[in-house]
Amino acid sequence: NPTIIGNKEKKITIEDIQRLADRGNPEALNILSWMYFVGDKEFKIEKNNEKGIHYMIKAAEKNQVNSMTDLGWFSFTGEYGVKKDFKKAVYWNEKASNLKFATATYNIGLFYYAGIADLPKDLIKAKKYWVLSAEQWKNRNEDTTAEGLLEEINQYSSNQTKEMMILRDAYIDFVRDPSSFNLRKLKSI
């Protein structure tokens, strides 16, 4: 059960989540969006991408950084029925990055690193965003792993130069061990 809203000792009901979402609670809107994207048997919610998108947009408009980042990523990939729109992909990730959300900042760095989402390949800007992401690291998606990011970077970046791989590896080293030593190493590249 979602416990990030309401009293943790009380079992949260779908009515509680819906009531909070109807009042504009950003976290409830984000939770509801994911309940619709993936379905929730416990709450008897069928998958419905249209409703998921609706609630995610509402949460993003209220500066809920997870929703902003996810909406930006889905605008890049076209997942969950979100229309591919690179301008929105960059917009939502930049907006969440400006709120110091490391995952969104990483995404912008990836866009520059790989030259995707209609942004030019630019290692100087990629490094800038990845250093900023490292500095924001405590504020990220909990399920972010070095292996997942490495796989993603390699998926979107073909024909990586030695310079690119050095930058990539320094960032991944930081993700594996977010120490001040690895942050300095990333900054020194």
Side-chain angles (χ1 to χ4, degrees), residues 114-157:
I116 54 179
D118 284 344
L119 293 180
K121 186 180 283 190
D122 185 329
L123 293 186
I124 293 170
K125 286 185 179 178
K127 177 187 170 187
K128 172 189 152 194
Y129 279 99
W130 282 354
V131 166
L132 184 57
S133 171
E135 291 171 343
Q136 300 167 339
W137 196 246
K138 67 182 184 309
N139 190 17
R140 69 184 187 287
N141 284 340
E142 294 291 321
D143 58 351
T144 302
T145 66
E147 291 68 31
L149 293 181
L150 180 59
E151 182 180 319
E152 190 171 78
I153 292 166
N154 289 335
Q155 174 187 351
Y156 290 105
S157 310

Side-chain angles (χ1 to χ4, degrees), residues 41-189:
K41 290 180 183 176
E42 180 182 351
F43 289 118
K44 298 180 177 106
I45 293 180
E46 297 291 321
K47 287 182 185 181
N48 184 323
N49 286 344
E50 192 173 302
K51 284 186 177 182
I53 293 166
H54 168 79
Y55 287 111
M56 185 167 279
I57 290 169
K58 284 189 167 292
E61 288 171 345
K62 294 194 170 286
N63 291 337
Q64 207 291 333
V65 292
N66 291 297
S67 284
M68 295 162 83
T69 304
D70 289 338
L71 188 57
W73 187 255
F74 301 155
S75 294
F76 169 67
T77 64
E79 290 174 83
Y80 295 102
V82 176
K83 182 182 173 201
K84 274 190 180 187
D85 183 330
F86 294 152
K87 285 187 186 337
K88 285 184 181 178
V90 172
Y91 170 80
W92 285 114
N93 277 289
E94 282 185 341
K95 193 165 174 165
S97 174
N98 290 338
L99 294 173
K100 300 181 180 0
F101 194 57
T103 307
T105 307
Y106 154 80
N107 287 345
I108 297 293
L110 174 64
F111 294 164
Y112 279 114
Y113 180 87
I116 54 179
D118 284 344
L119 293 180
K121 186 180 283 190
D122 185 329
L123 293 186
I124 293 170
K125 286 185 179 178
K127 177 187 170 187
K128 172 189 152 194
Y129 279 99
W130 282 354
V131 166
L132 184 57
S133 171
E135 291 171 343
Q136 300 167 339
W137 196 246
K138 67 182 184 309
N139 190 17
R140 69 184 187 287
N141 284 340
E142 294 291 321
D143 58 351
T144 302
T145 66
E147 291 68 31
L149 293 181
L150 180 59
E151 182 180 319
E152 190 171 78
I153 292 166
N154 289 335
Q155 174 187 351
Y156 290 105
S157 310
S158 58
N159 302 320
Q160 295 180 56
T161 64
K162 184 176 181 179
E163 184 182 26
M164 290 174 76
M165 288 186 274
I166 290 169
L167 174 59
R168 176 203 64 197
D169 292 347
Y171 182 72
I172 294 301
D173 285 347
F174 174 83
V175 173
R176 282 191 182 113
D177 175 20
S179 64
S180 57
F181 171 80
N182 282 333
L183 179 58
R184 283 192 305 275
K185 185 171 98 175
L186 175 61
K187 286 180 174 182
S188 73
I189 292 175

